[in-house]
Amino acid sequence: MYLHRQFSSSTINVTGSQGGVVTLGNFDGMHLGHRALILALKNLAEYNELTTHVVTFTPHPRDYFAKQGRGSPVLNISSVRNRLMYLNKMGVDHVHLLRFNQDLATLSPQDFVRHVLVKACNAKHVLVGRDVRFGHQRAGDWALLCSLGQQYSFAVHCFEEVLDNAALRISSSAIRHDLYAGHLDDANLLLGYAYSLSGRVIHGQKLGRTLNCPTLNINLHVSNPALRGVFVVAIEGLNSQSTSRLYGVANLGIRPTVEQAQRFSLEVHVLDWSGDAYGLTVNIIFLHKLRGEAVYANLSDLQHAIAQDILNARQWLSV
C-alpha cells in the first residue's frame, strides 16, 4: 500500500498510476459496511485492470469545525493508524490521507474533484454511496459528481448501503452510539470484529504502583474515544507470541480523581503478570464493561474501587 499524505490542494501528490478506481470517506472503525465497499472497489478495479484508491481525512471534518466553534467533535471509534492498518490488510493500492484544514474546508466541489479525484488519483471510476457529499459546505452531491464525471471522463458507480439483521444501515454513527452506551456486543456485530485499541506502552505517573495496582499506560491515538469506563480486557503483544492473550482491567477515560486536565488516557492492569513492557506496542481488546468512570473523594476510596473491579473482572472471566 502506498500512503500519500496531502496537506494542501496546491501541493497534491500525483500517483502516476495508469488509472484509478476511487472511493472516499472517513472510514472510522472500518466496519462491515466499509469493508464491503473496499471489496467492491477491488472487484471493480480488477475487472478494469486499474489500481484502487481510497481518499480519507484527518482530523475528522467534524473535529476541525468543532475547533472553529461550529458544532461538537465526533466520538472517535479508531485511530488513523488502525484505519490505515485495515486498509493495508485489505490490499488497497493507494491511500490518500488528506489533512482537513482551512484549505480543504474551503475547496469547492469542482476543485475537490479536479485536484483530488482527477489529479491525485487519475480517476477512471468512482464508487460512492448515493448520499455522497464533498467540497465546501458539503455542496457537492451525487448529481454534481456524475456531471463532473462526464466532464473529466470518469464513471460514477453507486454502492448500495449494507444493512444489519434489523434491516438498518450499518454506520459509524450507530457504532459510536453502541460504544458510548457500553453495548460492546452490539458494536462488535456491526464492526465484524471485537473492538480494540492499540498503542505503545509509555511511562506514566506510576500512581498505580502506590495503589498496589501497577498499570500499563498506553499511548492513545484517539483524542475523543466513543468508549469510556472500566472494562475487562484481553491484552495482546506482551508475550513473545503476538497473538497470545493475557487478561486484565482497563480504565479508558479522563481519570477525574487524580487529574484535572480533560485528557483521555488508557491504563491497563494485567492480571497475574509482571514485567517491563515499556516501548512495546500492545492491542487492548475490550470484552465487558464493568462500570462507568467515577470521581472518588480520596485515593483510599479509589484503591478500594480498583480492588473491587479486579475481583469483578476475575469473576466475569471465570464464568
Side-chain angles (χ1 to χ4, degrees), residues 205-254:
Q205 297 177 348
K206 310 293 193 298
L207 180 62
R209 296 181 183 179
T210 67
L211 300 176
N212 196 31
C213 179
T215 60
L216 307 180
N217 293 272
I218 313 301
N219 189 15
L220 194 60
H221 295 282
V222 180
S223 60
N224 189 30
L227 193 69
R228 294 106 183 270
V230 180
F231 300 87
V232 183
V233 297
I235 305 101
E236 296 176 339
L238 287 180
N239 291 336
S240 57
Q241 295 180 341
S242 60
T243 56
S244 178
R245 288 184 176 184
L246 297 172
Y247 295 89
V249 181
N251 183 90
L252 176 55
I254 58 175

Side-chain angles (χ1 to χ4, degrees), residues 30 43 50 66-67 82 111 120 137 171 193 216 251 293 315:
M30 282 302 297
N43 289 337
L50 299 171
K67 289 184 177 180
N82 281 17
D111 282 342
Q137 295 185 337
S171 68
Y193 59 88
L216 307 180
N251 183 90
E293 204 172 31
Q315 290 177 342

Side-chain angles (χ1 to χ4, degrees), residues 108-225:
S108 71
Q110 293 82 359
D111 282 342
F112 179 87
V113 168
R114 181 165 60 89
H115 284 291
V116 179
L117 300 188
V118 177
K119 182 180 177 182
C121 303
N122 193 13
K124 302 303 179 185
H125 299 267
V126 176
L127 178 64
V128 290
R130 201 171 290 275
D131 60 351
V132 65
R133 292 289 185 274
F134 58 95
H136 181 51
Q137 295 185 337
R138 294 166 50 86
D141 59 10
W142 172 267
L144 179 60
L145 185 62
C146 291
S147 175
L148 292 170
Q150 292 180 337
Q151 178 180 342
Y152 290 108
S153 300
F154 61 79
V156 181
H157 305 262
C158 179
F159 177 74
E160 299 296 337
E161 59 190 15
V162 179
L163 306 181
D164 64 12
N165 292 334
L168 298 176
R169 177 174 174 264
I170 295 178
S171 68
S172 296
S173 296
I175 295 168
R176 291 185 187 108
H177 178 271
D178 287 335
L179 290 176
Y180 193 77
H183 300 157
L184 284 166
D185 289 343
D186 293 336
N188 291 344
L189 284 175
L190 302 182
L191 288 167
Y193 59 88
Y195 181 69
S196 67
L197 292 172
S198 61
R200 189 168 54 88
V201 180
I202 58 175
H203 289 275
Q205 297 177 348
K206 310 293 193 298
L207 180 62
R209 296 181 183 179
T210 67
L211 300 176
N212 196 31
C213 179
T215 60
L216 307 180
N217 293 272
I218 313 301
N219 189 15
L220 194 60
H221 295 282
V222 180
S223 60
N224 189 30

Side-chain angles (χ1 to χ4, degrees), residues 13-77:
N13 297 322
V14 181
T15 63
S17 67
Q18 76 275 21
V21 179
V22 188
T23 192
L24 62 150
N26 289 296
F27 296 97
D28 190 14
M30 282 302 297
H31 55 62
L32 289 173
H34 292 147
R35 279 179 281 169
L37 172 58
I38 298 302
L39 287 175
L41 185 81
K42 291 178 63 178
N43 289 337
L44 185 60
E46 184 177 353
Y47 180 80
N48 289 281
E49 298 183 341
L50 299 171
T51 55
T52 52
H53 295 251
V54 171
V55 177
T56 189
F57 311 93
T58 184
H60 193 288
R62 279 177 53 187
D63 288 338
Y64 169 80
F65 289 118
K67 289 184 177 180
Q68 312 299 313
R70 299 159 59 187
S72 57
V74 71
L75 297 174
N76 301 128
I77 299 171

